[in-house]
Amino acid sequence: MKNRIFYFASALMISGALILTGCSKDDTSAPVITLLGSNNVTSTLNAAYVDAGATAKDDEDGDITSRIVTTNPVNKDLAGTYTVRFNVTDAAGNDASEVVRTVNVVNSAAILVANYSRHLVCGTFDTTYVAGITTSAIVNNKIFFTNFAGYTGANIEGTVSGTTTGSTVTIPTQTVNVGNPTTSRTFNGSGFLTATGMQLNHTETTAGNPPLSCVETFTRQ
C-alpha cells in the first residue's frame, strides 16, 4: 500500500513538473519604443521646450510607457543641437533599442545671418563696404553687426522684432573704441528689414563733436 502511495505521489510530482515546464517560457523579446512627434524638431531660443515623449510596449508586460527613462539635456537658453534619449527595460530585463530625438534650439533671427553689402552715408561721407551679421546664442532675436559703420572691430549689437519685411531693427546706445586713430564712439539708432536686407538710421557721437547722422542700407549677398 505504501509503495502504491509513493508511486502515485511520484507520478503526480513528475506530471506537475512536466506541466510547469511546458507552461514556462523564457521572455527574451525586447520591448519597443515609439516616438511621439517628429524625430527632428526646432525650438525657439529662450522658449520653454516640452518634449512630445514616447510610448513603450512589451509582448509580455504590455504597455510599459511608465518605465521609460528619458535623458533630456535640452537647454532652452543656449542655441545648439541636443539629443533626447529614450530607454526602457521590461520585467525580464530585456532592453529596448534606444530611440532618440534631435532638438535644434535656434535664435529666430538666424535667418538674417549672412554677409551684406553696406552703403553708408554720413553727411558728405559716402562709402560701401561688406560685413556680416551674426546672432546671439543666448538671447532670442538679438543680432550682432560686425565692423559696424565701416570701423574694423566695431561689433555692435541690435535686436529685431521679427524676420519679415518691415520688422523693426533697434540699436541700443553703446560705445566702442575703434577707428584710426582709436576713438571712443557711441552709436544708437533704428531701422527696418527690407526685401533685400535692411535700412538703418543711426547716430555716431564722439567726444567734442556734434552727433553725426547716418543712413546705412544693407543688401544681402
Side-chain angles (χ1 to χ4, degrees), residues 67-87:
R67 297 183 191 174
I68 292 178
V69 176
T70 304
T71 303
N72 183 350
V74 177
N75 183 347
K76 70 180 182 65
D77 296 318
L78 181 63
T81 299
Y82 301 89
T83 300
V84 180
R85 303 180 182 278
F86 301 88
N87 289 282

Side-chain angles (χ1 to χ4, degrees), residues 46-59:
N46 303 140
Y49 173 71
V50 180
D51 194 87
T55 60
K57 289 186 178 180
D58 182 70
D59 60 356

Side-chain angles (χ1 to χ4, degrees), residues 2 4 18-19 25-26 31 41 50 71 82 86 91 93 97 100 108 119-120 123 155 159 196 220:
K2 290 182 179 180
R4 289 181 180 178
L18 290 173
I19 292 172
K25 182 180 180 181
D26 290 338
V41 299
V50 180
T71 303
Y82 301 89
F86 301 88
S97 296
V100 301
S108 298
H119 181 206
L120 174 67
N155 297 318
T159 58
T196 57
R220 190 184 188 109

Side-chain angles (χ1 to χ4, degrees), residues 107-116 118 131-147 154-160 198 218 220:
N107 187 322
S108 298
I111 193 174
L112 302 177
V113 173
N115 283 324
Y116 292 80
R118 305 181 185 180
I133 289 179
T134 61
T135 57
S136 170
I138 57 175
V139 180
N140 194 48
N141 284 328
K142 176 179 281 191
I143 61 177
F144 297 100
F145 300 93
T146 62
N147 299 336
N155 297 318
I156 298 297
E157 70 177 54
T159 58
V160 293
M198 69 176 67
F218 291 55
R220 190 184 188 109

Side-chain angles (χ1 to χ4, degrees), residues 121-126 212:
V121 178
C122 296
T124 59
F125 181 74
D126 189 326
L212 183 63

